[in-house]
């Protein structure tokens, strides 16, 4: 599958590596593809402009800063995004480390702005290492999905499987409105990480004991 990742940060690079290893054709989209900075890891990827990355991908991944995502997607244009599943792994934070979407979610904002582009929220309750290596956890963790389009969700489920997440570890929360819970869990994630002294952990839903 052709995957266009919008963004070039740690998350985008980790996901690109994981999906490339699974045999997918991956490119990274950058606002300035000629500017690689000091990120040596970026040198091994194909980096193009955001518009080119969107054109390349059958599936797109929003790995841009959550406070800038909608503006960047509007710069690409609704027509270029239409009909393509958009995996949203973004969370917005203000400079004061408060959520930029306190009463709704970034995913809902994107879905409202681009109604012809099915948005699926996932992978935001863990760090980039666990995203692509769930086996690094002591026991199986869980990854959550939110979205209104069943076909898009099924595509994302397969891509999560390619990263090492079996079906049993994937929990479909429901429509795109449930993305609020995933994004708001970012504050809990930071608190747990600070308490543990590491962000390389995962969340797991423990079901009630059957009587």
């Amino acid at each position: 599958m052709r995957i266009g990742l919008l963004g070039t940060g740690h998350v985008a690079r980790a996901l690109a590596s994981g999906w490339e290893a699974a045999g997918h054709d991956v490119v990274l989209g950058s606002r300035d593809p000629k500017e690689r900075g000091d990120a040596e890891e970026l040198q091994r990827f194909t980096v193009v402009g955001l518009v080119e990355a969107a054109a390349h991908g059958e599936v797109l991944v929003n790995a841009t800063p959550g406070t800038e995502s909608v503006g960047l997607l509007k710069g690409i244009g609704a027509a270029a995004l239409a009909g393509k599943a958009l995996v949203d792994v973004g969370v917005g934070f203000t400079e004061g480390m408060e959520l930029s979407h306190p009463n709704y979610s970034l995913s809902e904002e994107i879905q409202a702005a681009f109604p012809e582009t099915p948005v699926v929220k996932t992978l935001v309750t863990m760090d980039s290492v666990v995203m692509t290596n769930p086996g690094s956890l002591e026991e199986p963790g869980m990854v959550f999905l939110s979205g209104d389009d069943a076909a898009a969700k099924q595509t994302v489920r397969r891509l999560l499987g390619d990263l090492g997440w079996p079906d049993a570890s994937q929990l479909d929360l429901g429509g795109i409105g449930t993305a609020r819970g995933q994004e708001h869990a970012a504050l809990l994630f930071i608190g747990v990480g600070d308490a543990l002294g590491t962000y390389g952990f995962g969340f797991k839903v423990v079901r009630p004991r059957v009587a």
Side-chain angles (χ1 to χ4, degrees):
M1 182 171 287
R2 298 190 310 278
I3 303 174
L5 289 113
L6 309 176
T8 58
H10 293 297
V11 169
R13 297 198 299 267
L15 292 174
S17 295
W19 281 321
E20 277 190 345
H24 296 289
D25 180 1
V26 177
V27 302
L28 299 179
S30 170
R31 282 174 281 190
D32 186 359
K34 294 182 179 179
E35 178 56 54
R36 301 294 183 93
D38 297 324
E40 293 183 7
E41 184 185 349
L42 200 57
Q43 304 302 317
R44 73 177 200 79
F45 296 107
T46 299
V47 181
V48 298
L50 293 171
V51 172
E52 290 78 12
H56 172 87
E58 300 169 86
V59 172
L60 305 179
V61 180
N62 174 46
T64 63
T67 53
E68 303 175 32
S69 296
V70 172
L72 291 172
L73 291 170
K74 286 182 177 178
I76 295 170
L81 305 175
K84 300 185 178 187
L86 177 68
V87 184
D88 179 30
V89 299
V91 177
F93 282 100
T94 67
E95 291 184 2
M97 289 304 292
E98 296 178 347
L99 289 173
S100 61
H101 297 74
N103 300 314
Y104 55 100
S105 67
L106 170 62
S107 290
E108 289 174 282
E109 184 183 14
I110 294 173
Q111 188 62 90
F114 303 94
E116 301 303 316
T117 302
V119 178
V120 179
K121 189 76 175 193
T122 192
L123 290 171
V124 294
T125 55
M126 63 196 74
D127 74 354
S128 60
V129 173
V130 177
M131 285 180 187
T132 57
N133 185 17
S136 64
L137 302 175
E138 289 184 350
E139 58 183 86
M142 298 193 86
V143 62
F144 307 103
L145 298 95
S146 303
D148 295 331
D149 188 283
K153 267 198 222 177
Q154 192 57 39
T155 296
V156 175
R157 289 184 71 94
R158 292 196 297 270
L159 290 174
L160 290 173
D162 289 339
L163 295 176
W165 294 95
D167 284 343
S169 293
Q170 300 183 32
L171 183 58
D172 187 342
L173 300 180
I176 198 64
T178 64
R180 300 180 191 187
Q182 293 198 59
E183 292 184 20
H184 288 202
L187 299 177
L188 177 62
F189 175 83
I190 293 172
V192 172
D194 288 346
L196 294 179
T198 177
Y199 293 102
F201 66 91
F203 289 117
K204 180 179 182 179
V205 174
V206 181
R207 302 179 187 275
R209 188 185 304 275
V210 177

